[in-house]
Amino acid sequence: MNKSFEPWLYLAPMLLFILLLVLVPLITGISYAFYNFDLISGTREFVGLDQFIRILNEDEIFLTSLVNTLFWTSTSLFFQFTLGLALALLLNNGFRGIKLIQPVLFVPWAVPSFLIGLMWVWMFNPVTGPLPYLFEWLGLMDLPENILSDPDHAMWGPITANVWFGIPFFTIMLLAALRSIPREIYEAASMDGVSGLQAFRHITLPLIAPTIIITLMIRAIWVANFAEIIIVMTNGGPANSTQIVATYIYDTAYQKMDFGYASVLSIALLFMLMIYGFTLGHIRRKMKVYI
Amino acid sequence: MKVIKYPFIIGFLTFTLFPVFWMFKISITPDRLLYSEGIVAWPSNTTWDHYYAVLIEGSFPDYFLNSFIVSITTAALVTIFAVLGGYALSRFQFRGKIALLIILLLTQMFPIVMVIAPIYNVLTYINLVDSISGLILVYTAFNLPFACFLMQSFYDGTPMELEEAAMIDGCTRMQALEKITLPLCLPGIGATLGFVFTAAWSELLFALMFISRQSQMTFPAGIMNFVTKFSVDWGQMAAAMILALIPVCIFFAYIQKFIVQGLTAGALKG
């Protein structure tokens, strides 16, 4: 068989789906950026780059939402990843009752995101949930108040919900990677006197590195684009303190019905995620040398 | 090591289960006690009325069935395509590979809200609007890039030497993949299946936008419909949520076998 033709054969079924149902719609969606949609007449008018000028010059909410996106994504990801890795190592190590406990720990990943939002709204509400009383008892708050209505700390509400939801993702992926490492490698290493932390640093970490990079890359992109929890919990408020670019796009498209400008905002977000993705992709290619 | 292990496990369990416990508590609290009793760990009186309402009066059993068909079909399709595609990306160097990786990554970066209208047009064109078949196609397409990356990273973490040895011994590439590499990647396949299943199980936005017939509605869209139709009945919604968790827990308990086993023991010796 022709060597250069072979990989495309394996990729073909997948690419067909992606081309028809993702790429074509994506290009159409991007093209909206060059049109101004008129709701009353239902028509659209080609405006070229006019709306791109708007985002650069006169949109303060965009800047706020950009800073918030950075905080939301990095904080959520930090806790999801560190806790997820810790849990994966614990589960890989094994303990009594693991068969029963492991599926229970994966439950949050299965909860639809709007329900996660609603659930945590109740947890944070002093009328229905216990958390404000816990914070008061811990001395974090003077009175049991709703953190979601405090502009300085509101973002921690959706972040908590997001961390709760996202830990299992990292745990499952990293656990699967840990399980695929042949045990003989550790046995051979321990015969050579390598064990414990050293084995983790020089065997485990390099072997699960591809999974770590790919999950971090994908998750960051998803979290940055993940609007549902915030929309349900705070809808970007109070005073835009939880407005991220993704919620702002949603707001622009479906509340203000300004699809053209929403597409411009999407392209801006896409552009920033691309820079992030390429940086990590570059690191991953470098890493392949070790494996 | 042992000493610090258990407090950690208890910590994780508490963090995971407490909100679910709280929802369960709300689901069995009679409506009249919900606000009057304030914050208590357990209501003075319990009721199964909310579960009864959800299961008998709503169309939730139908939603369950639809969601199950959609999720299991999507998971199977995506995993098959990703097992093939990930293999190509991991084991071959070919022209256009970098461009392909970039395109796959790009598909993850554009906000979903902006592609809903264009996808609706595609579905109309192939006559699959308002049916779970259309939904399966869309879910498959959107889950493929990540599943493919994931399988690629699992192949990357598997020693290529075993496969090459098998091919030198006279196996074809497909035989080597099937007999040597896939068993090693079984945890990865399990993770991919589980991941795609839950993604399809909990997806809301597409389901809301593309499905309007009751008979084709999935579970999250059904709950959302329920919320908007009957204002917010918290007890019933909590009950619906607890019910929604059950199939996924069962599915995960099953998938776990693959993730836990890691059939690698003896591979290097044998």
Side-chain angles (χ1 to χ4, degrees), chain B residues 56-240:
Chain B
I56 309 297
E57 291 162 25
S59 327
F60 282 93
D62 292 342
Y63 303 153
F64 253 96
L65 188 66
N66 286 338
S67 265
F68 194 76
I69 296 170
V70 168
S71 309
I72 207 96
T73 317
T74 307
L77 282 175
V78 169
T79 307
I80 293 167
F81 296 154
V83 159
L84 288 171
Y87 184 75
L89 292 181
S90 173
R91 296 295 198 249
F92 291 90
Q93 293 302 324
F94 53 91
R95 273 172 71 101
K97 182 174 166 182
I98 299 289
L100 178 66
L101 287 173
I102 290 171
I103 289 173
L104 286 182
L105 205 56
L106 279 181
T107 62
Q108 302 294 300
M109 294 176 179
F110 203 68
I112 297 281
V113 287
M114 291 312 298
V115 291
I116 286 175
I119 293 175
Y120 193 90
N121 292 339
V122 174
L123 286 180
T124 313
Y125 190 73
I126 51 178
N127 217 352
L128 283 176
V129 153
D130 209 1
S131 88
I132 56 173
S133 316
L135 212 52
I136 290 171
L137 294 187
V138 175
Y139 286 173
T140 304
F142 272 83
N143 280 301
L144 267 172
F146 169 70
C148 181
F149 284 137
L150 192 65
M151 281 315 299
Q152 181 197 1
S153 73
F154 283 115
Y155 287 126
D156 284 351
T158 327
M160 216 193 294
E161 289 73 16
L162 293 172
E163 199 179 315
E164 280 167 357
M167 277 158 71
I168 290 167
D169 288 346
C171 280
T172 65
R173 184 179 282 284
M174 273 296 128
Q175 281 170 335
L177 174 65
E178 189 192 322
K179 294 203 175 97
I180 310 288
T181 313
L182 282 188
L184 280 170
C185 285
L186 215 52
I189 294 173
T192 309
L193 267 176
F195 168 78
V196 179
F197 182 90
T198 41
W201 183 266
S202 55
E203 205 282 335
L204 173 69
L205 207 51
F206 286 141
L208 268 185
M209 297 293 184
F210 300 150
I211 304 277
S212 57
R213 268 188 297 169
Q214 282 285 329
S215 69
Q216 303 288 303
M217 214 166 262
T218 59
F219 198 76
I223 304 182
M224 198 65 181
N225 214 18
F226 193 71
V227 178
T228 40
K229 223 197 249 165
F230 304 101
S231 72
V232 185
D233 185 330
W234 280 95
Q236 290 192 10
M237 211 154 76

Side-chain angles (χ1 to χ4, degrees), chain A residues 6 10 17 83 90 94 102-103 109-110 115 118 122 128 164 179 184 221-222 225 250 254 266 270 284, chain B residues 5 15-16 22 26 39 81 108-109 113-114 156 173-174 195 198 234 237 241 248 256 259-260 266:
Chain A
E6 199 182 347
Y10 303 138
F17 269 87
L83 294 174
L90 273 175
Q102 188 172 305
W109 187 254
L115 280 181
L118 290 173
W122 270 49
T128 53
W164 183 82
R179 300 277 190 206
E184 284 74 7
I221 293 167
W222 284 348
N225 265 323
Y250 187 83
Y254 288 100
S266 306
L270 180 76
R284 184 172 183 215
Chain B
K5 207 151 85 175
F15 182 54
T16 304
W22 203 257
I26 290 167
I39 310 299
F81 296 154
Q108 302 294 300
M109 294 176 179
V113 287
M114 291 312 298
D156 284 351
R173 184 179 282 284
M174 273 296 128
F195 168 78
T198 41
W234 280 95
M237 211 154 76
M241 194 192 100
V248 188
Q256 260 207 115
I259 306 178
V260 174

Side-chain angles (χ1 to χ4, degrees), chain A residues 197-257:
Chain A
L197 260 182
Q198 264 188 318
F200 178 75
R201 164 75 187 79
H202 293 287
I203 301 169
T204 315
L205 221 47
L207 280 173
I208 63 170
T211 311
I212 291 181
I213 298 285
I214 195 68
T215 47
L216 273 182
M217 171 148 76
I218 284 284
R219 260 323 264 164
I221 293 167
W222 284 348
V223 171
N225 265 323
F226 189 40
E228 280 103 325
I229 284 183
I230 296 183
I231 289 171
V232 172
M233 290 182 76
T234 61
N235 206 7
N240 283 321
S241 60
T242 57
Q243 190 79 273
I244 62 170
V245 180
T247 56
Y248 186 42
I249 292 168
Y250 187 83
D251 201 51
T252 310
Y254 288 100
Q255 305 298 317
K256 303 195 188 88
M257 290 309 213

Side-chain angles (χ1 to χ4, degrees), chain A residues 145-156:
Chain A
E145 280 163 349
N146 195 337
I147 196 176
L148 299 176
S149 46
D150 169 8
D152 293 332
H153 301 107
M155 191 59 112
W156 286 101

